[in-house]
Amino acid sequence: MKSCLTLLSLLFIFGSQHVDKLTEACSCALSHPQDAYCNSDIVIRAKVVGKKPLKDGPFGTMRYTVKQMKMYKGFNKIQHVQHIYTDASESLCGVKFDINKYQYLITGRVYDGKVYTGLCNFNERWERLSLAQKKGINHRYQLGCNCRIKPCHYLPCFVTSKNECLWTDMLSHFGYPGYQSRHYACIQQKEGYCSWYRGMTSRDKTTINTTDP
């Protein structure tokens, strides 16, 4: 009897550890919003108006119906987004959206004509974005897609090429997202050099609407 209890205890512990590993299976590298924009096929602002679970694959897929407010990137992929697909399980990086509550910035990739997103993509309630992030999504970020944002986790850090911007938010005690993520874009300047940019320049004034994008 004692051996049976011991076996059951071990199975319980193993099962608990297995569940913990399953729920913690989704792991994403930190990404500056500009990188998220540049690496996405689709970038839109939309309100999520419905959802439907689909029996696709072993764990299922959630299909969200969206009302697209504005498309910032992806015109060559899809003219108008009506549905967003994501894994049904958060442990597999599936993302959850509130229905009929908020407008979201949604980024994702296109496969077989469908838009897929997840926890490792940049999805955020529109109201929580800084003004600089909104302007970046509207125009600035695309000016820096040929630049490389280089994360700095430990000092010392150095840029190794002219097209790099050193991203130091991870060194801050305030955590991510940090000041550079919320207020700066890495923009390509003259002769291919890239540098952090904030504020309005004469070039911006003619290309960026100063109102909320």
Side-chain angles (χ1 to χ4, degrees):
M1 182 70 179
K2 183 177 180 181
S3 60
C4 291
L5 290 173
T6 302
L7 179 60
L8 288 172
S9 299
L10 289 173
L11 288 172
F12 176 78
I13 293 170
F14 176 79
S16 300
Q17 290 175 343
H18 181 71
V19 170
D20 288 341
K21 288 181 180 178
L22 184 63
T23 56
E24 295 174 1
C26 182
S27 179
C28 308
L30 295 180
S31 177
H32 190 281
Q34 179 174 313
D35 278 342
Y37 172 94
C38 293
N39 293 329
S40 297
D41 293 329
I42 293 288
V43 180
I44 63 170
R45 174 160 50 102
K47 187 174 184 178
V48 180
V49 296
K51 67 178 181 179
K52 181 180 180 179
L54 304 177
K55 295 181 180 179
D56 294 346
F59 299 101
T61 300
M62 185 65 71
R63 186 186 73 185
Y64 287 98
T65 302
V66 300
K67 180 180 179 182
Q68 180 179 303
M69 304 297 181
K70 186 171 183 178
M71 178 175 283
Y72 301 95
K73 185 182 180 184
F75 301 97
N76 61 326
K77 299 284 186 178
I78 295 179
Q79 292 298 312
H80 190 85
V81 178
Q82 292 182 305
H83 297 107
I84 301 289
Y85 296 82
T86 188
D87 281 298
S89 172
E90 285 186 277
S91 65
L92 297 176
C93 296
V95 62
K96 290 186 177 180
F97 295 106
D98 290 313
I99 308 300
N100 288 317
K101 284 188 177 183
Y102 312 106
Q103 290 186 28
Y104 288 93
L105 173 75
I106 301 173
T107 69
R109 304 302 298 267
V110 177
Y111 299 101
D112 296 328
K114 297 179 180 179
V115 180
Y116 290 85
T117 192
L119 291 176
C120 294
N121 296 94
F122 186 52
N123 301 296
E124 183 59 273
R125 282 164 49 178
W126 185 255
E127 68 199 52
R128 291 180 174 174
L129 299 178
S130 68
L131 180 59
Q133 287 174 327
K134 291 177 181 178
K135 291 186 179 298
I137 292 156
N138 197 46
H139 182 76
R140 288 180 188 152
Y141 289 159
Q142 71 177 14
L143 299 176
C145 284
N146 290 327
C147 298
R148 178 174 179 262
I149 296 176
K150 184 177 180 179
C152 175
H153 297 278
Y154 307 99
L155 292 175
C157 297
F158 307 97
V159 294
T160 54
S161 65
K162 65 181 182 180
N163 72 327
E164 291 182 344
C165 292
L166 200 60
W167 184 27
T168 59
D169 279 348
M170 287 69 71
L171 299 176
S172 170
H173 295 294
F174 300 103
Y176 177 84
Y179 200 74
Q180 285 174 317
S181 297
R182 291 188 59 78
H183 301 292
Y184 283 85
C186 178
I187 303 298
Q188 195 166 35
Q189 309 291 342
K190 294 180 180 179
E191 300 179 357
Y193 285 90
C194 294
S195 61
W196 290 114
Y197 168 80
R198 180 186 183 183
M200 299 290 289
T201 66
S202 57
R203 181 175 62 175
D204 267 323
K205 290 178 181 178
T206 60
T207 57
I208 298 179
N209 187 347
T210 56
T211 61
D212 193 21

